[in-house]
Amino acid sequence: MTLTPVDTAAGTHFLRKPGEPLRIWAHRGGSSSAPENTAASDEVARRAGVDWIETDVQSTKDGVPVVLHDATVDRTTNGTGEIRSLTAAQVAELDAGSWFAPAFAGQRVRTLVQQLDGLRARGGNLLLEIKNVHTRDSVGRIVDDVYDREMSGRVFVQSFEPQHLRWVRELAPELPLGLLRGVLDPDPVAIAKDLEVLAYNPSEAALQTRPGIVAELHAAGVAVNIWTVDNPTSWRALERAGVDGIITNRPAELAGWSAATR
Ligand code: G3P
Ligand code: CA
């Protein structure tokens, strides 16, 4: 299956129009069914027809952007140690699938370039989270990889760190940006405008502290995507609350639920 690339440069289409389905963002790929952030989990999302794959990008000791969520490789590979203390060559040797199930033995921690090449070859777009600690140079290397692979029209960048977003804005003004939040800012609209983000992406719990923020952000032209939501009761509530998208570990199930309940 090859999915149609989405031109993110248009920007405002991340706001969900009345009657449109929720946008589905596959959290670390189809990570309920395959090891997170691997080619296998990307393929689960792709085969479910979900064309936005969320990923976490960090840098190795020698400065190579790789796809990994945790600060260490301990939980999701057969190795140990902090990712920033390992070289790309060392990381490439790790098994990133066996921890999830024996059938996934041989899955690798990919470089960002390898993930982008997979998307180019097989379809899909990237919700790229700049994860954990970065410098301007390491963010620049990520941006360079995206441009080298001619994927700037198919990448949406997000981060919890405003400074990461500012660096991306300086280095690549056309890349769409989203601000991740575990707790709402005192004035979400103000920070969204200041950072020039197209999306404000709070946790489900954060949104529940102030549901009216969806309308306020929409009035400012900012989309709202909620993480990480895996159950249909919440999917229904969030759809009715008017959010634009849901970041989920269960993209295939959300796609089926969305289609079946329309
Ligand atoms: O995309 C939202 C979500 O990924 C943020 O939290 O810890 O899963 O990266 P985390
Ligand atoms: Ca993430």
Side-chain angles (χ1 to χ4, degrees):
M1 173 186 288
T2 300
L3 299 169
T4 305
V6 175
D7 178 8
T8 60
T12 53
H13 67 258
F14 287 95
L15 290 167
R16 183 165 65 101
K17 297 184 181 70
E20 287 185 347
L22 292 161
R23 184 179 301 281
I24 303 171
W25 311 86
H27 186 241
R28 310 178 198 173
S31 58
S32 68
S33 311
E36 65 186 56
N37 281 328
T38 64
S41 61
D42 282 9
E43 191 66 15
V44 168
R46 185 178 292 121
R47 296 276 177 149
V50 173
D51 55 9
W52 281 99
I53 294 168
E54 194 261 1
T55 199
D56 303 287
V57 179
Q58 304 186 70
S59 295
T60 61
K61 181 180 180 182
D62 46 345
V64 177
V66 294
V67 179
L68 186 83
H69 177 270
D70 295 1
T72 76
V73 299
D74 298 18
R75 180 178 62 86
T76 57
T77 79
N78 61 343
T80 58
E82 294 190 349
I83 189 67
R84 64 183 179 183
S85 71
L86 299 169
T87 65
Q90 290 172 317
V91 172
E93 295 297 315
L94 301 176
D95 183 325
S98 295
W99 70 275
F100 188 87
F104 292 106
Q107 289 294 312
R108 297 295 169 198
V109 177
R110 295 167 294 170
T111 64
L112 174 60
V113 164
Q114 288 171 331
Q115 184 174 32
L116 292 168
D117 284 347
L119 295 167
R120 283 169 59 100
R122 300 186 59 75
N125 308 297
L126 204 59
L127 175 59
L128 190 166
E129 181 183 346
I130 300 177
K131 194 69 177 174
N132 295 332
V133 178
H134 283 272
T135 64
R136 191 177 193 279
D137 283 350
S138 67
V139 169
R141 176 71 183 266
I142 291 168
V143 169
D144 286 348
D145 283 355
V146 170
Y147 278 83
D148 284 349
R149 286 318 201 249
E150 300 181 334
M151 287 288 281
S152 60
R154 294 166 58 181
V155 170
F156 196 118
V157 175
Q158 65 173 0
S159 181
F160 285 100
E161 293 295 334
Q163 186 60 57
H164 294 168
L165 301 177
R166 289 194 177 96
W167 283 329
V168 175
R169 173 64 66 232
E170 291 169 15
L171 293 163
E174 63 275 31
L175 285 180
L177 301 177
L179 179 63
L180 282 164
R181 282 296 184 241
V183 176
L184 293 187
D185 297 283
D187 189 342
V189 171
I191 193 169
K193 285 185 172 177
D194 177 54
L195 294 172
E196 301 179 67
V197 297
L198 290 183
Y200 188 90
N201 298 344
S203 68
E204 183 181 20
L207 178 69
Q208 286 168 349
T209 65
R210 189 174 160 190
I213 197 61
V214 175
E216 293 177 39
L217 285 160
H218 283 172
V222 179
V224 180
N225 303 290
I226 310 301
W227 54 274
T228 300
V229 189
D230 292 341
N231 72 85
T233 302
S234 291
W235 295 339
R236 171 63 79 207
L238 291 168
E239 182 181 53
R240 289 178 175 164
V243 309
D244 300 283
I246 290 178
I247 301 168
T248 180
N249 296 309
R250 300 174 63 199
E253 292 90 337
L254 176 49
W257 174 89
S258 183
T261 56
R262 297 188 64 73

